Amino acid sequence: MTKPQQDAGDGRAARWRGQREKRRSEFVERALVAIDEEGPDVSVATMAVYAEVARTRIYRHFDDSTDLKNAVARRVAAMMLLEYAPVITVDGAPHAILTRAARTHLDWVTEHANLYRYLMSFSPAAGEVRRAISTAVSDMLHPYLDALGAPTTATPLANALIGMVESVSAEWIDRPGGTDVGALTEQLAAWAWALVDTTMRSRGAVLDPDSPLPAPGDLRT
């Protein structure tokens, strides 16, 4: 039989863990505001100002500055994934799918440029979000490439698409060079389609970019 003292101790520990997680979440939310307004190089001291606490109070809930910064970066990654999940789909024509995905990404990095820069500066979280998006895109492409006898091509193609969009958009948010979001969306969609089309044609399949995607088993060759 559990002793009353043990029950009380376990209850206090659970309440402390819950309170700690709540406070961590609150600090991360205020850090997001600080980064958004002050830039990706914002210090922990500035984050503490936005949280309206002494800097030392933050370290009651985080192991160190790296723990805090990684928690913030992972929250940004989660925000991105939540936004992108609905557009990683095969519903519609290829050009429409690629345009929708490119525009979603560009709209997000435009609205949250400093958060995006912050995320990209932390390799563990940046790597995690890249892998998550790559896996989703690869899973979308895999049935088609499997039907064409090239299932192992799905992941490299997904990585190529993501790498292109990421590198182009990262440069664009710092140096747009007169290119607006609509024009860049169309360029990215066209370049992405060129990669997909070339890959499909190399396996004997020809797709119409403006017609709904067929089922993988109905690919026109």
Side-chain angles (χ1 to χ4, degrees), residues 58-94:
I58 291 179
Y59 295 120
R60 293 180 59 188
H61 304 278
F62 296 90
D63 296 338
D64 50 29
S65 62
T66 298
D67 185 28
L68 169 61
K69 291 175 180 178
N70 280 330
V72 173
R74 287 192 167 91
R75 179 67 63 83
V76 178
M79 291 167 61
M80 288 183 66
L81 293 173
L82 185 65
E83 189 76 15
Y84 294 0
V87 303
I88 302 177
T89 173
V90 294
D91 294 334

Side-chain angles (χ1 to χ4, degrees), residues 20-94:
R20 185 171 185 266
E21 288 305 312
K22 179 182 176 182
R23 292 297 287 156
R24 278 175 65 96
S25 180
E26 290 170 353
F27 285 137
V28 167
E29 290 299 326
R30 298 310 301 166
L32 294 178
V33 177
I35 294 164
D36 199 37
E37 296 184 1
E38 304 289 340
D41 297 324
V42 65
S43 66
V44 175
T46 301
M47 292 179 183
V49 171
Y50 273 75
E52 299 181 342
V53 297
R55 179 178 174 178
T56 53
R57 285 281 303 282
I58 291 179
Y59 295 120
R60 293 180 59 188
H61 304 278
F62 296 90
D63 296 338
D64 50 29
S65 62
T66 298
D67 185 28
L68 169 61
K69 291 175 180 178
N70 280 330
V72 173
R74 287 192 167 91
R75 179 67 63 83
V76 178
M79 291 167 61
M80 288 183 66
L81 293 173
L82 185 65
E83 189 76 15
Y84 294 0
V87 303
I88 302 177
T89 173
V90 294
D91 294 334

